[in-house]
Amino acid sequence: MTLLEALDYASVFIFALTGALVASRAQLDIVGFAFVASLTAVGGGTVRDLLLNRHPIFWIDAPGLIGTAVIAAVLVFFTAHLFESRLRVLTWLDACALAVAVPAGTGLALSLGHHPATVVLMGMVTGCLGGLMRDVVCNEVPLVLKQGELYVTAAFAGATAAVLGVHFLPQGTALLLCAAVTLILRAGSLAFGWRLPVYRPRPPRS
Amino acid sequence: MTLLEALDYASVFIFALTGALVASRAQLDIVGFAFVASLTAVGGGTVRDLLLNRHPIFWIDAPGLIGTAVIAAVLVFFTAHLFESRLRVLTWLDACALAVAVPAGTGLALSLGHHPATVVLMGMVTGCLGGLMRDVVCNEVPLVLKQGELYVTAAFAGATAAVLGVHFLPQGTALLLCAAVTLILRAGSLAFGWRLPVYRPRPPRS
Amino acid sequence: MTLLEALDYASVFIFALTGALVASRAQLDIVGFAFVASLTAVGGGTVRDLLLNRHPIFWIDAPGLIGTAVIAAVLVFFTAHLFESRLRVLTWLDACALAVAVPAGTGLALSLGHHPATVVLMGMVTGCLGGLMRDVVCNEVPLVLKQGELYVTAAFAGATAAVLGVHFLPQGTALLLCAAVTLILRAGSLAFGWRLPVYRPRPPRS
């Protein structure tokens, strides 16, 4: 199994956990859990593969990946009630999934030799679109759009770090750097409230 | 016309009726009816064709299919006020559309020789995604996600029945079985309240 | 730069402005502005290219297009507070973007030699889907679905005008006609309340 395949499996598993947690908030049955988990798990990578015209899509005829998502869904279905705050667990797992999916998308686009701007975009698409689909389908306010939290920004910074880093580092190390930058920014935003200034209709005069 | 083409036409027509009914709840004009009807009618099959890299997409350069959706939209525009309960009609038509679209998607993936897990998924995607797009676009709570109703589950069971059945039955009969299983489960859920246990934050102690 | 490429750039820029304005209503940070702006700017054309199996997608490896969207996002981030009514500016810019994107999509499908019905649909998809994605992702009521306003209808009429016009006029002129018809209908709907009759559950007896 290559590094990119391992990243795909890890990102599928963690995103599936978040999908199942959102399904638990919507009180679905176990097949609903598996559906939302799978959609979340493969959504971003599917869009990436469609945009890059990369067939077969990474999970078609690789039933282990969807199987992984289903296992995650079953796991959450039977254990989610053990957690004190599912929303908190969800948010942190989502941060981990982002930090795995962004290097997965970035690494793939890098190894296909695309333009640096395209590589950064593919990292952002792979990282952000699965969670976005999950939230749109389940009528949650998209995490991607929470005011003032670093989310798309963390994905952007991580992917950019990889694109720059690959000039100086081996690709595996550059992707590790990508994961670290993404996770640190996202986690810092959750834990310490790091943020960029948001748009205000009328900025206060100083 | 092959069986698969006939299934495509039937599923397009019935899904278009449901799309137009949702458009009537949103009080759109006739072009809006045609737009939502077409989106619902071809949404699931389009995603299936994109995922399987099957070009041209089934409705591109087959204007009869979009024409069918438009006719359904016009029909509903002028007759929907005759129904006592549009929501009830909508729900039951949607069940019929599901029972046609799942075998359509399953049959196509079967005849392309995909892995059984992929075949089941394509049946579910073709059956569920058109209705999901309809509901997301029109700001309705997705039928797919209604608590405790068998919907994705019915699609899953139907597609699985076809994948197993095709080992013992001719493909046409296996697809008929698929339609029957899907329809019976979905209709049983609507009429008799059949359901799987849903997730409960704190399960009651016994 | 060909006419079609120029239309792509113009439509990307104006749609990106509308995306950034919606981001300002959601009070996102500057990376969120760029994300929503890019999604809006390339969403419709991306779906068009995927449906027509046209690779690379028009903005992949053409970083100038995404760059244009980002510039529009930055522009809006720093100037949106200057506008009296952002919603009004948004609605009118969206009308202009529609009037550019519909001929862009129609022209492309025409030059690929598709069936007239497919050409009209591609014009509508290119024109309407970017704005629809923007509104779904940001939890706004889709402009496409505003009761009784000509929106999809304007796109439909414009694309139809081009498909008919191309029999009598040079393609460039037919696309100009398409833009004019789309803009006039949409603007007339906004300014003078032009509309088609909408569906009413119980039509009043006369």
Side-chain angles (χ1 to χ4, degrees):
Chain A
M1 182 183 281
T2 67
L3 173 65
L4 285 179
E5 282 168 8
L7 283 174
D8 272 346
Y9 267 90
S11 127
V12 158
F13 184 71
I14 312 178
F15 262 131
L17 292 176
T18 72
L21 281 168
V22 172
S24 83
R25 289 163 57 85
Q27 304 200 3
L28 302 183
D29 62 33
I30 198 162
V31 182
F33 270 61
F35 181 76
V36 179
S38 304
L39 182 77
T40 312
V42 304
T46 302
V47 174
R48 172 199 67 195
D49 285 357
L50 286 174
L51 291 176
L52 296 181
N53 197 26
R54 189 165 161 269
H55 289 280
I57 306 283
F58 73 108
W59 52 269
I60 298 272
D61 297 323
L65 280 167
I66 297 289
T68 302
V70 171
I71 289 170
V74 173
L75 214 67
V76 170
F77 188 79
F78 288 111
T79 64
H81 62 281
L82 301 175
F83 299 116
E84 198 62 36
S85 161
R86 275 174 295 142
L87 184 57
R88 208 177 148 73
V89 175
L90 165 60
T91 312
W92 280 94
L93 275 175
D94 187 83
C96 298
L98 187 73
V100 177
V102 172
T106 308
L108 183 83
L110 265 179
S111 60
L112 292 174
H114 281 286
H115 186 284
T118 309
V119 173
V120 171
L121 280 166
M122 289 303 125
M124 295 169 72
V125 160
T126 311
C128 301
L129 257 60
L132 186 60
M133 288 182 197
R134 174 194 66 205
D135 296 338
V136 166
V137 164
C138 292
N139 271 328
E140 302 254 343
V141 175
L143 268 181
V144 170
L145 296 175
K146 281 276 179 64
Q147 276 178 36
E149 284 185 13
L150 303 182
Y151 193 102
V152 186
T153 309
F156 171 73
T160 305
V163 166
L164 298 177
V166 88
H167 292 296
F168 314 104
L169 306 165
Q171 180 164 333
T173 317
L175 293 184
L176 208 68
L177 177 70
C178 167
V181 168
T182 307
L183 186 59
I184 288 170
L185 284 179
R186 177 75 185 130
S189 177
L190 289 174
F192 309 120
W194 296 352
R195 55 196 55 202
L196 287 180
V198 300
Y199 175 81
R200 299 244 173 265
R202 300 267 173 244
R205 288 156 200 266
S206 52
Chain B
M1 184 183 282
T2 68
L3 172 65
L4 285 179
E5 283 168 8
L7 283 174
D8 272 346
Y9 267 90
S11 127
V12 158
F13 185 71
I14 312 177
F15 263 131
L17 291 176
T18 72
L21 280 168
V22 172
S24 83
R25 289 163 57 86
Q27 304 202 3
L28 302 183
D29 61 35
I30 198 162
V31 182
F33 269 61
F35 181 76
V36 179
S38 304
L39 182 76
T40 312
V42 304
T46 302
V47 173
R48 172 198 67 195
D49 286 357
L50 286 175
L51 291 176
L52 296 180
N53 198 22
R54 189 166 161 268
H55 287 281
I57 306 285
F58 74 109
W59 53 269
I60 297 272
D61 297 324
L65 280 166
I66 297 288
T68 302
V70 170
I71 288 170
V74 172
L75 215 67
V76 170
F77 189 79
F78 288 110
T79 65
H81 63 281
L82 301 175
F83 299 116
E84 198 63 35
S85 161
R86 273 173 296 142
L87 184 56
R88 208 178 148 73
V89 175
L90 164 61
T91 313
W92 280 94
L93 276 176
D94 186 82
C96 299
L98 188 71
V100 177
V102 172
T106 309
L108 182 83
L110 267 179
S111 60
L112 292 175
H114 281 285
H115 185 283
T118 309
V119 173
V120 171
L121 279 166
M122 289 303 125
M124 296 168 72
V125 160
T126 312
C128 300
L129 257 59
L132 186 59
M133 287 182 198
R134 172 195 68 206
D135 296 339
V136 166
V137 164
C138 292
N139 273 327
E140 302 253 343
V141 176
L143 269 181
V144 170
L145 296 175
K146 280 275 179 66
Q147 277 180 35
E149 284 185 12
L150 303 182
Y151 194 101
V152 185
T153 309
F156 172 73
T160 306
V163 166
L164 298 178
V166 86
H167 292 296
F168 314 104
L169 305 164
Q171 180 165 332
T173 318
L175 294 184
L176 209 66
L177 177 70
C178 166
V181 168
T182 307
L183 186 60
I184 288 169
L185 284 179
R186 178 74 187 130
S189 177
L190 288 174
F192 309 120
W194 295 352
R195 56 196 57 202
L196 287 179
V198 300
Y199 175 80
R200 298 244 173 265
R202 299 269 173 242
R205 288 153 201 268
S206 51
Chain C
M1 184 183 280
T2 68
L3 174 65
L4 286 179
E5 283 168 8
L7 282 174
D8 273 345
Y9 267 89
S11 127
V12 159
F13 184 71
I14 312 179
F15 262 131
L17 291 176
T18 73
L21 279 167
V22 172
S24 83
R25 288 161 59 85
Q27 303 201 2
L28 302 182
D29 62 33
I30 198 161
V31 181
F33 269 61
F35 182 76
V36 179
S38 303
L39 182 76
T40 312
V42 303
T46 302
V47 174
R48 173 199 66 196
D49 285 357
L50 286 174
L51 292 175
L52 297 179
N53 197 24
R54 188 166 162 269
H55 288 280
I57 306 284
F58 73 109
W59 53 269
I60 298 271
D61 296 323
L65 280 167
I66 298 289
T68 302
V70 170
I71 289 170
V74 172
L75 214 66
V76 170
F77 189 79
F78 289 110
T79 64
H81 63 280
L82 301 175
F83 298 116
E84 199 62 38
S85 161
R86 273 173 297 143
L87 184 57
R88 207 178 149 74
V89 175
L90 166 61
T91 313
W92 280 95
L93 275 176
D94 186 83
C96 297
L98 187 72
V100 177
V102 172
T106 309
L108 183 81
L110 266 179
S111 60
L112 292 175
H114 282 285
H115 186 282
T118 308
V119 172
V120 171
L121 279 165
M122 288 304 125
M124 294 169 74
V125 160
T126 312
C128 300
L129 258 60
L132 187 59
M133 288 182 198
R134 173 196 64 205
D135 295 339
V136 166
V137 164
C138 292
N139 272 327
E140 302 253 343
V141 175
L143 268 181
V144 169
L145 296 175
K146 280 277 179 65
Q147 277 180 36
E149 282 186 12
L150 303 181
Y151 193 101
V152 186
T153 309
F156 171 73
T160 306
V163 166
L164 298 178
V166 86
H167 291 296
F168 313 105
L169 305 164
Q171 180 164 332
T173 317
L175 294 183
L176 208 66
L177 178 70
C178 166
V181 169
T182 307
L183 186 60
I184 289 170
L185 285 179
R186 178 73 185 131
S189 177
L190 288 174
F192 309 119
W194 294 354
R195 55 196 57 201
L196 287 180
V198 299
Y199 175 81
R200 298 244 173 264
R202 299 268 175 243
R205 289 154 200 267
S206 51

